[in-house]
Amino acid sequence: MSDVAAAVGVSPMTVSRAFRRDASVSLKTREKILETAAALGYVFDSRASTLRSQKTGFVAVTIPSINNANFADTVGAISAELAQSDLQVLLGYTNYDLDDEERLIEQLLRRRPEALIVTGGSHSAHARTMMSNAGIPVVQMWDEPQDPVDMVVGFSNGQAMQLMVRHMIDQGRRNLVFLGGDDRSDVRGAERREGFITAMRSAGLPADRLVDTGTPPVSMHQGALAMQQALRQYPDLNGVVCVSDLSAFGAMSECQRQQVPVPDQVAIGGFGAYDISGQSVPEISTVEVHSKEIGTRAAQAALAAINGNATQQDRIQNVVPVLIPRASTQRD
Amino acid sequence: MSDVAAAVGVSPMTVSRAFRRDASVSLKTREKILETAAALGYVFDSRASTLRSQKTGFVAVTIPSINNANFADTVGAISAELAQSDLQVLLGYTNYDLDDEERLIEQLLRRRPEALIVTGGSHSAHARTMMSNAGIPVVQMWDEPQDPVDMVVGFSNGQAMQLMVRHMIDQGRRNLVFLGGDDRSDVRGAERREGFITAMRSAGLPADRLVDTGTPPVSMHQGALAMQQALRQYPDLNGVVCVSDLSAFGAMSECQRQQVPVPDQVAIGGFGAYDISGQSVPEISTVEVHSKEIGTRAAQAALAAINGNATQQDRIQNVVPVLIPRASTQRD
DNA sequence: CTGAAAGCGCTAACAG
DNA sequence: CTGTTAGCGCTTTCAG
């Protein structure tokens, strides 16, 4: 920066101002400075800027996995919303593992983000402490924690799944099996399975037909394998409720391979409103959880808190899931 | 850091060493320091560390879109590979736009990454200049640029698509239509379409049957719409070649809705070896481009160059695409 | 094994 | 509209 200043014949301070588009630098001077900088191949150093001004210009975001269209939508929406305030996203993956998440959160906080947006409401004790003490706004999303760290933009995965189960029951399906819901790491998957159990019990139906699909991320292939097992184990089944649209599609493909008519013999319900559930034949009933809306509102809440004008309404927001009934659960 | 030092009764320098696990700090002192730091809620500031040591500990990566399983696989592999050398990924999205990419690259370079890994081989003039002058290793991936900036890990999208076209022709399909290939922004899509044209011409077949699917990212829905148009416009078609497995799946679903048998009446070929093409019924023939392998090798090349021991073989690497023939293009 | 001095490249605060 | 001074929180370097 001092090289540029010397070349133009001004002080480094003026160069600094020119780069920040500070109004108090004359337009002519600024242009000359930017031109000279470009000619010299000078690249502004954000690290130093960040250290001195105590503004890093980014918001840290954690998601379980990069390869999940729902979280990708959420992150995309966060990016878009933050970009309007010249903030960037610093993204990290937890691999559906609370220890990984703890390490990740520490790494992210070391870079001094201006806010932290995390997926989920369950964390290791140390991670919780770090978030509480970070002195920045924290948003938990995609869940409804009992005891929020700070702000929340989410929904109850259990209640959302109950929408689907009740729909299936309303359609006359009583022999239902749940596919998915890993206890060890996929917290939201386990909550959805609990939702299945709750809804079945309230209807006085057997709630113990559960097939584990294995470790997350949930895949189409896992759904196919689980369906194989379900058809073998519960020959009278007339509906499966899946933890995700991806496993639902895998399950439906398995039915097609085994000549099991969907929905005539077996109804199939998914979760998450992925593209696939709206494009397959037949289309798969699902639960729309508004991934983008969650991202937009999480970013808005973080921004409001950063600017010190977060209202009480910003702090705990419920984004209401909606059932989307389609052909896979309804006879003509 | 000086607070921690004071609390323990050592100098800040010793605290600094303890945090870096420098061997020259006694184990007992180190433990006491780390405990005290945790108790005080101290969080190490990477920015200052980074500024002074000139090592940021991260590698910048650009991809067109977060919501694409192929690029997600590549980024996942890069992350995993870099983690072994204690490097993190700083990720950015170009939205398939060269101007956005230019801005993004500037933003990323301002944070002084130790290497830059970009998707694609076409860039704005200014972006190229910035990359060349950055003084760090640059890897272009997912493409085979004529005039590389520095290192390359990729493949020819055109040749890869020719594999599929020749396979379709070998299967006796001659009335082929290409779905996809946006000129304006999706460089690799356009290259794949060129591959279609080249392969058709070499076979002496009409190469002008092209249906645009619109702006990227390519979606299943785009594929369905394009298939509608193709069936209307070219009633004699017996095969469609799609720019991506996603549009291929959309096209196949459209055929199912219109009672057009696949592959008996129309063969369908995809690209990219997404999960969907291996799970659908029938399974969709595709081209495996080894998304993870590209990421692993790009990261390895970047690491080698950072450590100053990149061989000539590391510099330009071809990851050979492989045709995966499946039911969607082959009669029993 | 530990410490003191100096400085990474920028900007806040104040002055003109 | 422009400049000067000091310092953000760490680590390099040199010294013990």
Side-chain angles (χ1 to χ4, degrees):
Chain A
M1 188 174 262
S2 53
D3 290 353
V4 177
V8 179
V10 295
S11 74
M13 199 57 235
T14 304
V15 177
S16 170
R17 289 189 178 112
F19 266 89
R20 279 176 289 154
R21 275 144 186 66
D22 187 310
S24 69
V25 176
S26 77
L27 219 107
K28 214 176 118 193
T29 313
R30 182 165 89 197
E31 278 189 4
K32 199 168 164 193
I33 289 172
L34 295 181
E35 272 170 32
T36 312
L40 292 178
Y42 165 76
V43 179
F44 185 90
D45 190 327
S46 313
R47 298 168 308 167
S49 160
T50 260
L51 179 60
R52 177 66 240 233
S53 69
Q54 298 293 47
K55 289 191 177 175
T56 51
F58 59 62
V59 170
V61 178
T62 74
I63 55 176
S65 156
I66 186 178
N67 204 337
N68 178 303
N70 275 338
F71 297 133
D73 280 346
T74 297
V75 172
I78 292 175
S79 297
E81 193 65 27
L82 293 179
Q84 297 174 23
S85 302
D86 282 320
L87 287 166
Q88 291 183 301
V89 166
L90 182 63
L91 190 59
Y93 316 109
T94 67
N95 297 316
Y96 294 92
D97 182 301
L98 293 187
D99 292 331
D100 280 10
E101 185 195 39
E102 179 180 313
R103 278 188 288 275
L104 176 64
I105 287 175
E106 172 144 32
Q107 287 303 317
L108 293 172
L109 290 178
R110 286 180 167 199
R111 301 205 190 266
R112 298 292 190 273
E114 301 190 21
L116 174 61
I117 302 178
V118 299
T119 301
S122 304
H123 314 280
S124 73
H126 186 213
R128 265 197 83 94
T129 309
M130 285 192 292
M131 290 193 277
S132 305
N133 295 343
I136 53 173
V138 175
V139 183
Q140 293 168 295
M141 58 177 186
W142 272 90
D143 215 334
E144 258 187 357
Q146 296 287 316
D147 180 20
V149 173
D150 183 8
M151 295 186 283
V152 175
V153 177
F155 61 92
S156 159
N157 281 272
Q159 285 173 28
M161 193 45 105
Q162 290 188 46
L163 295 174
M164 177 61 74
V165 180
R166 286 199 295 267
H167 163 70
M168 302 271 261
I169 296 170
D170 287 348
Q171 295 292 316
R173 313 284 178 162
R174 301 175 64 84
N175 305 334
L176 298 181
V177 176
F178 186 81
L179 308 187
D182 182 79
D183 270 321
R184 290 144 292 184
S185 45
D186 186 358
V187 178
R188 283 164 300 287
E191 288 170 357
R192 290 174 203 163
R193 190 188 53 202
E194 283 308 309
F196 171 82
I197 293 170
T198 305
M200 290 297 278
R201 285 204 183 130
S202 333
L205 296 172
D208 58 345
R209 297 176 163 198
L210 311 166
V211 177
D212 193 344
T213 52
T215 54
V218 178
S219 69
M220 296 177 179
H221 186 59
Q222 284 179 345
L225 294 178
M227 190 75 209
Q228 277 180 13
Q229 187 182 330
L231 288 169
R232 220 183 302 123
Q233 200 167 347
Y234 308 107
D236 65 336
L237 74 85
N238 56 18
V240 294
V241 179
C242 302
V243 73
S244 152
D245 280 354
L246 301 183
S247 48
F249 178 77
M252 189 166 81
S253 297
E254 185 60 27
C255 289
Q256 290 171 354
R257 281 188 287 271
Q258 298 197 21
Q259 321 281 351
V260 172
V262 175
D264 287 348
Q265 179 176 334
V266 174
I268 293 180
F271 194 98
Y274 289 71
D275 280 353
I276 182 75
S277 61
Q279 292 298 318
S280 60
V281 180
E283 293 183 13
I284 300 172
S285 300
T286 190
V287 179
E288 166 65 83
V289 295
H290 308 295
S291 308
K292 286 182 187 167
E293 173 85 8
I294 289 174
T296 304
R297 285 165 66 171
Q300 286 168 347
L303 281 170
I306 288 171
N307 298 325
N309 52 22
T311 66
Q312 203 50 40
Q313 293 173 352
D314 292 327
R315 307 203 74 79
I316 308 288
Q317 296 183 56
N318 191 286
V319 180
V320 184
V322 174
L323 176 80
I324 305 183
R326 294 196 179 118
S328 71
T329 54
Q330 301 175 101
R331 296 195 183 84
D332 293 328
Chain B
M1 188 175 263
S2 53
D3 291 352
V4 177
V8 179
V10 294
S11 74
M13 200 54 238
T14 304
V15 178
S16 169
R17 289 189 177 109
F19 265 90
R20 277 176 290 155
R21 275 143 186 65
D22 187 309
S24 70
V25 176
S26 78
L27 219 108
K28 213 177 119 191
T29 313
R30 182 165 89 197
E31 276 188 6
K32 198 168 164 192
I33 289 173
L34 294 181
E35 272 170 30
T36 311
L40 292 179
Y42 165 76
V43 179
F44 184 89
D45 191 326
S46 313
R47 299 168 307 166
S49 161
T50 260
L51 179 61
R52 177 65 240 231
S53 69
Q54 298 294 48
K55 289 190 179 173
T56 51
F58 58 63
V59 169
V61 178
T62 73
I63 55 176
S65 157
I66 187 179
N67 203 338
N68 177 304
N70 274 339
F71 297 133
D73 281 345
T74 297
V75 172
I78 293 174
S79 296
E81 193 65 27
L82 293 179
Q84 296 175 23
S85 303
D86 281 320
L87 287 167
Q88 291 184 301
V89 166
L90 182 63
L91 189 60
Y93 317 109
T94 66
N95 298 315
Y96 294 92
D97 182 302
L98 293 187
D99 292 331
D100 279 10
E101 185 196 39
E102 179 180 313
R103 277 188 288 275
L104 175 63
I105 287 175
E106 171 144 31
Q107 287 303 317
L108 293 172
L109 290 178
R110 287 180 167 199
R111 300 202 191 267
R112 298 291 189 271
E114 300 189 21
L116 174 61
I117 302 178
V118 299
T119 301
S122 305
H123 314 280
S124 73
H126 186 213
R128 267 196 81 95
T129 308
M130 285 191 292
M131 290 192 276
S132 305
N133 295 343
I136 53 174
V138 175
V139 183
Q140 292 168 296
M141 58 177 185
W142 272 91
D143 216 333
E144 259 187 356
Q146 296 288 317
D147 180 21
V149 172
D150 183 6
M151 296 187 283
V152 174
V153 177
F155 61 93
S156 160
N157 281 273
Q159 286 173 28
M161 192 44 105
Q162 289 187 46
L163 296 175
M164 176 61 73
V165 179
R166 286 201 294 267
H167 163 70
M168 302 271 262
I169 296 171
D170 287 348
Q171 296 293 315
R173 313 285 178 161
R174 303 176 62 84
N175 305 335
L176 299 179
V177 177
F178 186 80
L179 307 187
D182 182 77
D183 270 320
R184 289 144 293 183
S185 44
D186 186 359
V187 179
R188 283 163 301 286
E191 288 169 359
R192 290 173 202 163
R193 190 188 52 204
E194 284 307 308
F196 171 81
I197 293 171
T198 305
M200 291 296 278
R201 285 204 182 127
S202 334
L205 296 171
D208 58 344
R209 297 177 162 198
L210 311 166
V211 177
D212 192 345
T213 53
T215 55
V218 177
S219 69
M220 296 177 179
H221 186 58
Q222 284 180 345
L225 294 178
M227 190 74 209
Q228 277 180 12
Q229 187 183 329
L231 288 169
R232 219 183 300 122
Q233 200 167 345
Y234 308 107
D236 65 336
L237 74 86
N238 55 18
V240 293
V241 179
C242 303
V243 73
S244 152
D245 279 354
L246 301 183
S247 47
F249 178 77
M252 188 165 82
S253 297
E254 185 60 29
C255 289
Q256 290 171 354
R257 281 187 287 269
Q258 298 197 20
Q259 320 281 351
V260 173
V262 176
D264 287 349
Q265 179 175 335
V266 174
I268 294 181
F271 194 99
Y274 290 71
D275 280 353
I276 182 75
S277 62
Q279 292 298 320
S280 60
V281 180
E283 294 183 12
I284 299 172
S285 301
T286 189
V287 179
E288 167 67 81
V289 295
H290 307 296
S291 308
K292 286 182 187 167
E293 173 85 7
I294 289 174
T296 304
R297 285 166 67 172
Q300 287 168 346
L303 282 170
I306 288 172
N307 298 325
N309 51 22
T311 65
Q312 202 51 40
Q313 292 172 354
D314 292 328
R315 306 202 74 79
I316 308 288
Q317 297 184 57
N318 191 284
V319 181
V320 184
V322 174
L323 177 80
I324 304 183
R326 294 194 179 120
S328 72
T329 53
Q330 302 175 100
R331 296 193 184 86
D332 294 328

